[in-house]
Amino acid sequence: MEKELGRQIKQLRLEQGLTMKELGKRANLSTGYISLLERGLSSISLTSLQKITEALGANRNYFFQMPPSPARKVVRGYDLTVFKLKGSHYIYHSLIGDVPEKERQMEPTLVTLLPGMERNDILPFAHEGEEFGFVLEGVLTFIIEDKNYDLNPGDSLHIPSTLPHNWANLTNKLVKLLYVNTAKVFL
């Protein structure tokens, strides 16, 4: 899964004649992390993908399998916009209504983490903002500053995004998570 996404990132980078170091500098990510991504050896967060997408000047939808979303104030559970990063272990259900992007402060999302992730593939990262997560189903492993926290249904977390962090599903069952962050990642 990660290999396809990594291949696409590398292809866009090479089309623009950029080195991994140049892309890393533009995206404010390490060269080592870019290398791991391109080789499919690491998963990627939406925030990091957004940084790479912007650094490459690509359309935000380039990496997503996402149908167009109708404008709406109320988001019905039976009518969620579902999208998935090509080649990732995450399925996202957008909970965003029709509040214009420039007026939004939060990005509410229902996230399903598929089984099959490995702890070694999860690299903590930091970015601007704040985030809140509430586990609905399964056991979520949340990594904060290289320390693992196993969160069960009903558990939540609230952190400044400037702390190095990431998440994983290290079990053989689905994990469902209500997640809200202040980073602008969706249209």
Side-chain angles (χ1 to χ4, degrees):
M1 291 180 163
E2 281 84 11
K3 289 186 190 256
E4 174 63 20
L5 182 61
R7 186 193 60 73
Q8 291 176 320
I9 291 169
K10 182 176 182 178
Q11 180 181 345
L12 278 177
R13 178 180 62 77
L14 293 175
E15 285 174 5
Q16 294 186 21
L18 295 173
T19 65
M20 284 187 271
K21 184 176 181 177
E22 291 167 328
L23 175 58
K25 186 174 181 176
R26 283 186 184 185
N28 198 26
L29 299 168
S30 74
T31 304
Y33 182 60
I34 299 292
S35 175
L36 289 171
L37 288 174
E38 288 188 359
R39 291 181 290 146
L41 300 176
S42 179
S43 60
I44 188 169
S45 71
L46 286 177
T47 304
S48 293
L49 184 60
Q50 178 189 14
K51 289 179 179 182
I52 289 171
T53 301
E54 289 173 1
L56 293 170
N59 181 302
R60 284 178 153 184
N61 295 331
Y62 183 84
F63 295 107
F64 295 96
Q65 298 166 339
M66 185 169 146
S69 175
R72 56 198 174 177
K73 293 197 182 316
V74 174
V75 180
R76 302 285 181 190
Y78 58 79
D79 194 28
L80 295 177
T81 300
V82 178
F83 54 98
K84 182 178 187 290
L85 287 173
K86 294 175 185 173
S88 84
H89 283 93
Y90 311 118
I91 299 171
Y92 299 93
H93 303 68
S94 176
L95 303 176
I96 297 171
D98 66 355
V99 176
E101 179 181 8
K102 63 184 176 186
E103 296 175 22
R104 276 199 318 264
Q105 299 299 311
M106 326 182 278
E107 297 283 342
T109 309
L110 175 63
V111 183
T112 301
L113 288 82
L114 303 174
M117 300 173 83
E118 300 285 334
R119 172 59 178 101
N120 294 339
D121 298 334
I122 312 303
L123 299 175
F125 65 98
H127 55 89
E128 292 301 313
E130 175 181 11
E131 39 200 284
F132 170 82
F134 182 86
V135 178
L136 300 167
E137 178 182 324
V139 178
L140 174 75
T141 300
F142 202 87
I143 301 109
I144 303 173
E145 297 181 321
D146 290 326
K147 184 170 182 193
N148 291 4
Y149 298 90
D150 287 333
L151 298 153
N152 295 296
D155 292 347
S156 64
L157 63 101
H158 186 188
I159 64 166
S161 304
T162 53
L163 291 174
H165 65 282
N166 208 332
W167 57 17
N169 176 2
L170 304 179
T171 72
N172 62 358
K173 305 217 185 288
L174 291 178
V175 172
K176 291 191 179 180
L177 171 70
L178 174 63
Y179 213 70
V180 181
N181 66 46
T182 56
K184 304 278 178 135
V185 278
F186 305 121
L187 295 174

